[in-house]
């Protein structure tokens, strides 16, 4: 299994409106933390995030989280 690219060693803390989002799992997107299609040709696929009501989330950007798409503090070990 190939390794994800570390996009940043900190989460993206965002206030998201209700809706569907696609979290980048490969780390190659230029639109972090969201997928921009750059995973094409890799084994990675984006993770669908369903937000039912406006809320603040911390989305993983190091791509090493054990709880995708959310930050679990794994960036502290990089
Ligand atoms: Fe990374 Fe799509 S660009 S999962």
């Amino acid at each position: 299994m190939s390794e994800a690219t570390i996009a940043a060693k900190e989460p993206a803390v965002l206030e998201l409106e209700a809706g569907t989002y696609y979290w980048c799992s490969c780390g190659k997107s230029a639109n972090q933390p969201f997928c921009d299609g750059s995973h094409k040709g890799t084994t990675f696929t984006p993770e669908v995030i369903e937000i039912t009501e406006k809320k603040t989330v911390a989305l993983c950007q190091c791509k090493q989280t054990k709880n995708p798409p959310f930050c679990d503090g794994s960036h502290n070990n990089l």
Side-chain angles (χ1 to χ4, degrees):
M1 169 118 181
S2 52
E3 300 270 313
T5 300
I6 297 169
K9 292 183 181 177
E10 61 185 12
V13 179
L14 302 171
E15 188 173 64
L16 297 181
E17 301 289 340
T20 303
Y21 300 86
Y22 296 87
W23 176 75
C24 167
S25 64
C26 75
K28 295 187 189 306
S29 172
N31 185 34
Q32 291 296 328
F34 303 112
C35 175
D36 72 352
S38 297
H39 61 272
K40 229 177 179 171
T42 73
T43 56
F44 293 93
T45 53
E47 181 111 359
V48 178
I49 313 171
E50 299 283 1
I51 302 288
T52 52
E53 58 185 24
K54 185 175 181 170
K55 68 173 174 179
T56 300
V57 293
L59 298 177
C60 173
Q61 297 196 101
C62 76
K63 314 303 176 182
Q64 313 300 310
T65 180
K66 302 278 184 292
N67 183 33
F70 304 106
C71 174
D72 72 350
S74 291
H75 59 272
N76 290 316
N77 301 324
L78 297 174

